[in-house]
Amino acid sequence: MKAKNKFLDPLIPRKGAIVDNIQFYKKNIPLPSIVEISESGTCNRKCSFCPRSAPDFKDVKEFITNELAKKIAKELSELNYEGLVLFSGFVEPLLDKNIFNIIKIFRDLLPNARIEIVTNGDVLNVKRANKLFNSGLSKLLISIYDGKKEADEMEKMLLDGGIDKNKFIIRHRYLTEDKDFGITLSNRSGMMKNAEYKIPSLKSPLKLSCFYPHYTFFIDYTGEVLMCSHDWGKKYIVGNVKREKIIDIWLNKKYQSARDRLQKGDRAFEPCDVCDVTGTLMGKSHVQQWKKFLNK
């Protein structure tokens, strides 16, 4: 059985280049190239192709604390982290009124890291954009879901407001269903079966490799660390940064078990057994480095 994706995000090569810039811990252990933070439990939209459009999906208006943000940033600074800190995940980051302080916490402790936000832009204006960049943000990735008119208006607003064109990217997410809405669609590890645009869970696991856990460290606002950014059901928890150190979680047996099985094409465990994601679009360099470290 083969995974299929009709549409591939044109930004995949950009993300792939970020992923391939590998940092090491103790010279030979590859660190995550992306630390993704889903910093709340809420979003203002229920897009048809998102699990949030399912009637049973819970919207939780809770946000990451400054205390937890400082702990994460401090531990990354101890690793001299220079990769990507991405505020995205399962939420709309700009709904957090404290997001500017959170960004500043990470910038102060991680002067050489790339810090980015993925937003739907609904509450974005020039004043907030400037405040984000003044807080230390590197780039805004703005997903426009309504249409080309709205995409053009967003671009014009930012440029007219003096925002450097190199500091933001407009992502066109309003295409028709036959063009997969302009996103690289997946069933979100089985969480799309009740969504408005239904994508069924797989009846049997794909026999395909997946590299996500080799290069991604995904932190929920609760502190829980998920093995994969597609695990919307939060089925495979590898640790909690409130109680454990980032590096200890990254190197623990449960995380490594997932890497080992997935690089061999073994998806016969939850939630990977129902997931239809093509997980080899990036991260091959990390897989090779993990093999070297483990002498495999």
Side-chain angles (χ1 to χ4, degrees):
M1 189 175 186
K2 294 183 179 180
K4 295 180 180 179
N5 278 309
K6 292 182 290 184
F7 179 91
L8 291 179
D9 191 330
L11 291 178
I12 285 176
R14 174 185 181 272
K15 189 174 181 180
I18 292 171
V19 169
D20 283 342
N21 186 20
I22 304 176
Q23 265 188 275
F24 292 90
Y25 172 67
K26 293 184 176 179
K27 296 184 179 180
N28 62 347
I29 303 173
L31 287 171
S33 288
I34 301 174
V35 174
E36 185 168 354
I37 302 174
S38 190
E39 51 78 59
S40 80
T42 189
C43 184
N44 61 307
R45 285 189 175 239
K46 294 183 179 182
C47 299
S48 63
F49 46 80
C50 174
R52 286 186 173 273
S53 66
D56 56 346
F57 193 95
K58 294 181 179 180
D59 186 73
V60 182
K61 290 179 172 57
E62 295 177 358
F63 303 87
I64 194 170
T65 64
N66 283 346
E67 180 183 20
L68 181 56
K70 287 176 183 176
K71 183 179 185 296
I72 295 167
K74 183 176 184 295
E75 290 183 16
L76 289 175
S77 73
E78 291 168 355
L79 298 171
N80 298 311
Y81 189 71
E82 297 182 359
L84 171 61
V85 177
L86 178 64
F87 291 90
S88 179
F90 312 144
V91 303
E92 170 48 53
L94 296 191
L95 294 183
D96 187 355
K97 295 179 181 179
N98 193 44
I99 190 65
F100 310 103
N101 293 325
I102 299 295
I103 296 297
K104 189 174 188 306
I105 287 169
F106 279 86
R107 176 53 70 211
D108 287 348
L109 287 166
L110 300 168
N112 298 317
R114 184 193 301 257
I115 304 176
E116 300 184 356
I117 283 179
V118 175
T119 174
N120 58 35
D122 288 351
V123 300
L124 184 65
N125 55 34
V126 172
K127 181 179 179 181
R128 288 179 179 142
N130 276 314
K131 192 172 181 180
L132 285 168
F133 292 123
N134 289 337
S135 298
L137 189 71
S138 305
K139 185 159 292 208
L140 266 171
L141 282 73
I142 308 164
S143 300
I144 302 297
Y145 296 107
D146 297 322
K148 187 178 186 303
K149 175 176 174 289
E150 288 76 11
D152 292 344
E153 288 174 348
M154 176 64 72
E155 184 172 17
K156 185 177 187 303
M157 178 188 76
L158 294 174
L159 291 175
D160 288 351
I163 304 297
D164 188 330
K165 66 180 180 179
N166 294 314
K167 287 190 173 184
F168 67 90
I169 296 174
I170 304 293
R171 309 201 303 176
H172 301 268
R173 304 307 203 209
Y174 51 81
L175 303 185
T176 54
E177 180 181 318
D178 64 310
K179 294 182 180 178
D180 287 356
F181 308 101
I183 70 171
T184 305
L185 274 180
S186 78
N187 68 10
R188 307 293 189 183
S189 295
M191 291 294 288
M192 288 294 293
K193 57 188 176 183
N194 295 322
E196 184 179 337
Y197 182 77
K198 291 177 172 57
I199 306 176
S201 299
L202 298 183
K203 293 182 179 179
S204 59
L206 293 174
K207 294 181 180 179
L208 293 174
S209 297
C210 181
F211 303 154
Y212 270 92
H214 293 77
Y215 65 85
T216 302
F217 194 87
F218 186 101
I219 307 172
D220 200 25
Y221 70 98
T222 60
E224 289 180 327
V225 179
L226 311 186
M227 176 266 294
C228 175
S229 55
H230 286 273
D231 184 11
W232 278 69
K234 304 178 184 181
K235 302 291 187 182
Y236 198 105
I237 308 297
V238 291
N240 193 307
V241 291
K242 285 184 177 180
R243 301 185 297 271
E244 304 164 83
K245 295 193 70 172
I246 287 173
I247 193 63
D248 291 338
I249 297 171
W250 182 242
L251 297 176
N252 73 25
K253 291 182 179 179
K254 190 170 184 181
Y255 222 141
Q256 192 52 45
S257 174
R259 293 187 192 107
D260 187 51
R261 294 182 69 173
L262 288 174
Q263 67 91 11
K264 294 176 181 176
D266 175 11
R267 298 192 183 199
F269 61 99
E270 196 176 36
C272 303
D273 54 346
V274 297
C275 179
D276 66 352
V277 167
T278 302
T280 54
L281 297 177
M282 60 191 79
K284 188 175 181 180
S285 296
H286 271 79
V287 174
Q288 293 171 343
Q289 293 299 330
W290 276 110
K291 286 182 178 179
K292 286 182 180 179
F293 166 62
L294 298 169
N295 294 315
K296 291 187 177 182

